[in-house]
Amino acid sequence: MSTTPLASLGAGFSNEAFGSQAVFRAVLQALSHPGRTVAVEHDAQAPAVGHSASAAVLLALLDSDCTLWLSPKLAASDAGAWLRFHTGCTVVADAAQARFVWVAQGDALPALNRLALGTDIYPDQSATCVVDVSRAATTADASDAWHLRGPGIQEVATLQVDGLPDDFEAQWAANHGVFPRGVDLLLATADHIVGLPRTTRATRGATALQEA
């Protein structure tokens, strides 16, 4: 874990209330309309490691009651210190104990079934996973795209994503299958997010075309 001096950490939102509200609205829009690319506009001085959009999202969502797990690249940077300083969150070493998970681009995504899935009575006690990817954008090319179906989507949303593990389709199907429990994902590029809530079905390529 990085031991960055507090004096060297970047600033948070210049106006904490307005900045948090704006980013929170972007998160709500992304989760309400899975597959839609939503801009994350903010003025926080985000850490150098990790996407700026992800840092802003976590800055808006975390508070002193939240636990956060960071993937290796982020854990070795000042990202944890920055979020602890501005939000009061607790960084944990075990992803299964975290309510929020941040995965840097190129780091392995923890197995979704090992994260906090909540319970049938308290499904809100599950993890939200923010995953930095190199690309997440709507596309007209259906051959290798993700096809998303479910609440908030009119018929189907077609999404091109680079950076998810090879077995993500199977992992996501299992996650979707334990509803109302399950993990919610936010896929983040440098300045945009795409929501993938547990209510969404996601199939890729040939599997998606067979379902069409």
Short mmCIF file of all heavy atoms in Angstrom, two decimals, residues 9-13 42-48 52 55 59 82 86:
data_model
loop_
_atom_site.label_atom_id
_atom_site.label_comp_id
_atom_site.label_asym_id
_atom_site.label_seq_id
_atom_site.Cartn_x
_atom_site.Cartn_y
_atom_site.Cartn_z
N LEU A 9 -1.27 15.01 -2.13
CA LEU A 9 -2.48 14.49 -2.74
C LEU A 9 -3.24 15.59 -3.47
O LEU A 9 -3.27 16.74 -3.03
CB LEU A 9 -3.39 13.88 -1.67
CG LEU A 9 -2.85 12.65 -0.94
CD1 LEU A 9 -3.82 12.22 0.15
CD2 LEU A 9 -2.58 11.51 -1.91
N GLY A 10 -3.85 15.22 -4.58
CA GLY A 10 -4.64 16.17 -5.34
C GLY A 10 -5.92 16.54 -4.61
O GLY A 10 -6.38 15.83 -3.71
N ALA A 11 -6.53 17.64 -5.03
CA ALA A 11 -7.76 18.11 -4.41
C ALA A 11 -8.95 17.27 -4.88
O ALA A 11 -8.89 16.60 -5.91
CB ALA A 11 -7.99 19.57 -4.77
N GLY A 12 -10.02 17.31 -4.09
CA GLY A 12 -11.27 16.68 -4.50
C GLY A 12 -12.08 17.66 -5.34
O GLY A 12 -11.52 18.54 -6.01
N PHE A 13 -13.40 17.52 -5.32
CA PHE A 13 -14.25 18.46 -6.04
C PHE A 13 -14.08 19.86 -5.45
O PHE A 13 -14.01 20.02 -4.23
CB PHE A 13 -15.72 18.05 -5.95
CG PHE A 13 -16.02 16.67 -6.46
CD1 PHE A 13 -16.67 15.74 -5.68
CD2 PHE A 13 -15.65 16.31 -7.76
CE1 PHE A 13 -16.96 14.47 -6.16
CE2 PHE A 13 -15.93 15.04 -8.25
CZ PHE A 13 -16.59 14.12 -7.45
N HIS A 42 -16.12 16.52 -14.10
CA HIS A 42 -15.75 16.89 -12.72
C HIS A 42 -14.47 17.71 -12.77
O HIS A 42 -13.80 17.78 -13.81
CB HIS A 42 -15.54 15.63 -11.87
CG HIS A 42 -14.34 14.82 -12.29
ND1 HIS A 42 -13.10 14.98 -11.70
CD2 HIS A 42 -14.19 13.88 -13.26
CE1 HIS A 42 -12.24 14.16 -12.28
NE2 HIS A 42 -12.87 13.48 -13.22
N ASP A 43 -14.13 18.31 -11.63
CA ASP A 43 -12.90 19.11 -11.57
C ASP A 43 -11.95 18.62 -10.48
O ASP A 43 -11.04 19.35 -10.07
CB ASP A 43 -13.24 20.59 -11.36
CG ASP A 43 -13.98 20.84 -10.05
OD1 ASP A 43 -14.25 19.88 -9.29
OD2 ASP A 43 -14.30 22.02 -9.76
N ALA A 44 -12.15 17.39 -10.02
CA ALA A 44 -11.25 16.84 -9.00
C ALA A 44 -9.88 16.54 -9.61
O ALA A 44 -9.77 16.22 -10.80
CB ALA A 44 -11.84 15.56 -8.42
N GLN A 45 -8.86 16.65 -8.79
CA GLN A 45 -7.49 16.33 -9.22
C GLN A 45 -7.25 14.85 -8.96
O GLN A 45 -6.67 14.46 -7.95
CB GLN A 45 -6.48 17.21 -8.48
CG GLN A 45 -6.63 18.69 -8.78
CD GLN A 45 -5.69 19.55 -7.94
OE1 GLN A 45 -5.10 19.11 -6.96
NE2 GLN A 45 -5.56 20.82 -8.32
N ALA A 46 -7.70 14.03 -9.88
CA ALA A 46 -7.68 12.57 -9.70
C ALA A 46 -6.25 12.03 -9.68
O ALA A 46 -5.34 12.64 -10.25
CB ALA A 46 -8.47 11.92 -10.83
N PRO A 47 -6.05 10.89 -9.03
CA PRO A 47 -4.72 10.27 -9.03
C PRO A 47 -4.26 9.94 -10.43
O PRO A 47 -5.07 9.76 -11.35
CB PRO A 47 -4.95 8.99 -8.20
CG PRO A 47 -6.16 9.26 -7.37
CD PRO A 47 -7.02 10.15 -8.22
N ALA A 48 -2.96 9.81 -10.60
CA ALA A 48 -2.39 9.54 -11.93
C ALA A 48 -2.69 8.12 -12.38
O ALA A 48 -2.82 7.85 -13.58
CB ALA A 48 -0.88 9.78 -11.91
N SER A 52 -9.72 8.70 -14.64
CA SER A 52 -10.26 9.87 -13.94
C SER A 52 -11.75 9.70 -13.65
O SER A 52 -12.23 10.09 -12.59
CB SER A 52 -10.02 11.12 -14.78
OG SER A 52 -10.60 12.26 -14.19
N ALA A 55 -12.20 7.50 -10.59
CA ALA A 55 -11.84 8.21 -9.36
C ALA A 55 -12.95 9.15 -8.94
O ALA A 55 -13.32 9.21 -7.76
CB ALA A 55 -10.54 8.99 -9.58
N LEU A 59 -15.17 8.98 -5.59
CA LEU A 59 -15.16 10.16 -4.74
C LEU A 59 -16.58 10.58 -4.37
O LEU A 59 -16.85 11.02 -3.25
CB LEU A 59 -14.44 11.30 -5.46
CG LEU A 59 -14.23 12.61 -4.71
CD1 LEU A 59 -13.34 12.40 -3.48
CD2 LEU A 59 -13.60 13.66 -5.63
N TRP A 82 -5.68 8.99 -1.55
CA TRP A 82 -6.53 10.09 -2.04
C TRP A 82 -7.98 9.88 -1.65
O TRP A 82 -8.65 10.78 -1.14
CB TRP A 82 -6.37 10.19 -3.56
CG TRP A 82 -7.07 11.33 -4.22
CD1 TRP A 82 -6.69 12.65 -4.23
CD2 TRP A 82 -8.28 11.27 -5.00
NE1 TRP A 82 -7.58 13.40 -4.97
CE2 TRP A 82 -8.56 12.58 -5.46
CE3 TRP A 82 -9.13 10.23 -5.36
CZ2 TRP A 82 -9.67 12.88 -6.25
CZ3 TRP A 82 -10.23 10.52 -6.16
CH2 TRP A 82 -10.50 11.82 -6.59
N HIS A 86 -10.22 12.06 1.21
CA HIS A 86 -11.38 12.86 0.82
C HIS A 86 -12.71 12.26 1.24
O HIS A 86 -13.71 12.99 1.32
CB HIS A 86 -11.37 13.08 -0.70
CG HIS A 86 -10.28 14.00 -1.17
ND1 HIS A 86 -10.22 15.33 -0.81
CD2 HIS A 86 -9.19 13.77 -1.96
CE1 HIS A 86 -9.16 15.89 -1.37
NE2 HIS A 86 -8.52 14.96 -2.07
#
